[in-house]
Structures are given as structure tokens and as C-alpha cells.
Amino acid sequence: MYATADQPPPRPTPFRAPTVRLALKPVSPSGGRAELDGAWWPRSHDLTPELSALADVLDPLWGRLTRIAVDPGRWPVIPRRILVNGRAVKVDWFTSGQDPHKILLLSSTSGRWDLLVIPPETGAPAAARLMSAASAGTGPSPTATALMAAEQVDTVPLSDEPGTGRPERPVTAG
């Protein structure tokens, strides 16, 4: 005699694409310190899940992350700690001496890493340009603030008519 147990059929697990929008510089054989190691474009201003997702990706690549520092002016709430691959990592903030458009990540095995933080509300074309510029492996690395300022200059509409954002229009007599 055979016994059968009613078990639910296995459910397929849907594929979940990574949610971290990240561009990293190629590793330099010279080992010189770059201003930026890449760029990160979070999807929201909710730092806890955004930072956890970023750290979960970077921790295996860069070695055990031990501390993260962010600019408090960019995030409404800064957690004291986040979980990274099952362990707690301290989150700090800075108000001076650091570029406000960066995030700093410290690793016990590979040192310090600096990423440009692209605001979540940035449009896709501008974010792509910023990510490309911050992760370019050639030439001198500009600062995060310089990259952001250059992108803002490029996106400001040019105008011959002050204060309108549109070209000067001819005046017709009526």
C-alpha cells in the first residue's frame, strides 16, 4: 500500500532584476586614488532600502563593508545602521569637508570608495551622462560637485529673452 500526501505544487519564483542603478570605474592597474569610483542613482529618497540594496551589491565586490557616510542634506532620514548581507553596518553622516554629492563606503579589505549620488528625480538622459562621466576609466576624474554643476549647466534652457527660458520673439506692430 502506498500513501500519498497532498502537497501544493511548486510555485515558480519570478526572476527579479537587480534594482540598483550603479556604474563603476574599471579597476586601475596603477592603483592610484581617483576622485570618484563610479556613480549611484537611487530610485527614491528612502535611504534605508536604497542603501541596503547598494551595499548588498558592493559588499561582495569590494570586500566587507564596515561603514557608510552620506550627506544629511540629501536624505530626509538617515538610519544608524543597515543590514548588509545579514550583518549590521554603521551609517554616518557628514556636514563639512566632503563633497555633498558623494557617498563614502569603507571596506575592511579594500579601503575607501567614493560614488557620485545622482538624485532620484534626475531624468534618465541626464543620469546616463552623469553615470558615464563618473565611471569613465580614462582622463582625470572630476569632482562629484563639478559633474553635477556641468550637468545643470547643460540642461538649463538658453534664452535671448531674460527670465523667459525661450528665444527672443520679434515684436509685431498691431
Side-chain angles (χ1 to χ4, degrees):
M1 178 183 217
Y2 294 98
T4 59
D6 289 333
Q7 293 181 352
R11 293 185 191 185
T13 305
F15 173 73
R16 194 169 145 216
T19 60
V20 176
R21 299 183 291 191
L22 180 66
L24 300 175
K25 238 178 211 182
V27 177
S28 170
S30 65
R33 180 82 188 110
E35 175 68 29
L36 291 170
D37 299 297
W40 172 48
W41 183 25
R43 295 181 185 281
S44 75
H45 287 282
D46 189 356
L47 188 57
T48 301
E50 293 289 344
L51 202 51
S52 289
L54 174 68
D56 281 345
V57 169
L58 294 178
D59 190 69
L61 294 174
W62 288 349
R64 188 179 177 104
L65 293 178
T66 56
R67 184 165 284 193
I68 300 170
V70 298
D71 177 47
R74 307 270 175 228
W75 307 98
V77 176
I78 299 174
R80 294 176 148 249
R81 288 179 167 50
I82 60 163
L83 282 178
V84 178
N85 295 321
R87 63 178 164 53
V89 173
K90 185 168 176 36
V91 180
D92 290 322
W93 51 271
F94 54 82
T95 56
S96 64
Q98 297 294 328
D99 191 321
H101 297 284
K102 280 199 313 192
I103 182 172
L104 290 77
L105 301 111
L106 300 175
S107 163
S108 62
T109 57
S110 56
R112 173 180 165 165
W113 298 83
D114 299 272
L115 297 176
L116 167 69
V117 178
I118 301 168
E121 60 277 1
T122 304
R129 287 188 297 271
L130 286 164
M131 291 180 91
S132 177
S135 64
T138 59
S141 179
T143 66
T145 294
L147 285 173
M148 294 301 290
E151 184 59 37
Q152 288 174 354
V153 169
D154 290 343
T155 59
V156 173
L158 300 176
S159 170
D160 295 332
E161 188 176 334
T164 64
R166 60 181 181 245
E168 187 174 328
R169 295 181 184 176
V171 178
T172 58

